[in-house]
Amino acid sequence: AADVVETLASFGLAYVLVKFFVGVLGEVRQAGLVLVHDRPSYYKILICTLVGASSVVVLLIIIAETKLGVLLIQELHGVTPSVSKLTTSAIAYLSVYPLIDAISWYHAGILLKWHHSTVVGAGSLADIFAQIFAVAVLLYTPLICNNALLVPILAAYAGVVTRCSIVTVAYFRSVYPLLKKEKTVPVSIFKLVSFLSPLMVSLGIQRISRPVVNLLVARFSASKCDATEAVAVLTVTYPFSELPFAWLNQLRSVSPAFQKERPSNSTPVLPGRTIGIFCSTVVAFSATMCFILFWIPGVSVAILEHVIGVPHQLAVLCVDPLKLFAFLPFAGSIPMHEQQGLQKLF
């Protein structure tokens, strides 16, 4: 059980840090959705995406391979040296993940611009199924005993590579031939930065909360063992709580995709009232699912223990944080509404 807790805590610390950069870079989807009008603009934004993502890869490697990682994980969080070593190893393994994810979301945004939402949805579902399949296969390999930390890492890569492959191939087959070779709408670096900056800052502030929560919980725990257990609880709680509401982030793409005319596309422009009713309905549905899963006694513990395989003691500790997460659909819908209005200006 101690090994399970250490592995969960290590992967959680590493994955939350990586996901912070992934979330910020994921805003290139909005650039693809709004700013890509022709092949020159596609290539210009793609190059900027690759440069930004590559910078993140280098930064993560520096954190993992230098004393900076020890300072951030062991000294700052107050976890044990073994957890710190596992965490820096996980950061190194996951360092390329943001690059693949950014390429995936960039092409997904362009597909959404041309109303190929089915392909984007299929890619996201394939991501989930690929992760499940990878875990199911890896559980029957010696890896689970020799280096269990690699199991969730390899599963994460299996999912993101699958998603990236689907949306990229779909883009080059369905959208790229339709883009004009000559420049139709000028897109400067200044315009790209002015468009992405408020979105990245907004999402960055949201994403930074998780590393900060991990830091505070670990730092103010009674002992290093308690800190490890607390981080393990958050590692389980974060992804499980996202199941009913994480997909609400996609609502940011509804308004710019369906309230602007698209070249060579006969899909009618939807009125703002229709989009508002749709968004309100899915937020209400998401909130209902959250309260069913997290507030009905025994439901969340049963799922964590019998479906996900979390130890009973750890599953019980996840109940109270999950109840708080049930209110996030309402809180998250406000910035999403504001971002929709901002993107329509470009």
Side-chain angles (χ1 to χ4, degrees), residues 290-301 323:
C290 284
F291 280 98
I292 291 174
L293 290 174
F294 305 149
W295 278 87
I296 295 180
V299 174
S300 58
V301 173
K323 287 182 177 180

Side-chain angles (χ1 to χ4, degrees), residues 6 71 100 162 172 176 184 206 213 226 230 238 257 293 316 318:
E6 283 197 354
L71 176 65
I100 305 172
T162 301
F172 279 104
Y176 186 77
T184 57
Q206 296 177 43
V213 168
D226 290 339
Y238 283 147
L293 290 174
V316 172
C318 295

Side-chain angles (χ1 to χ4, degrees), residues 322-335:
L322 287 172
K323 287 182 177 180
L324 296 177
F325 278 122
F327 297 95
L328 282 181
F330 299 112
S333 62
I334 298 173

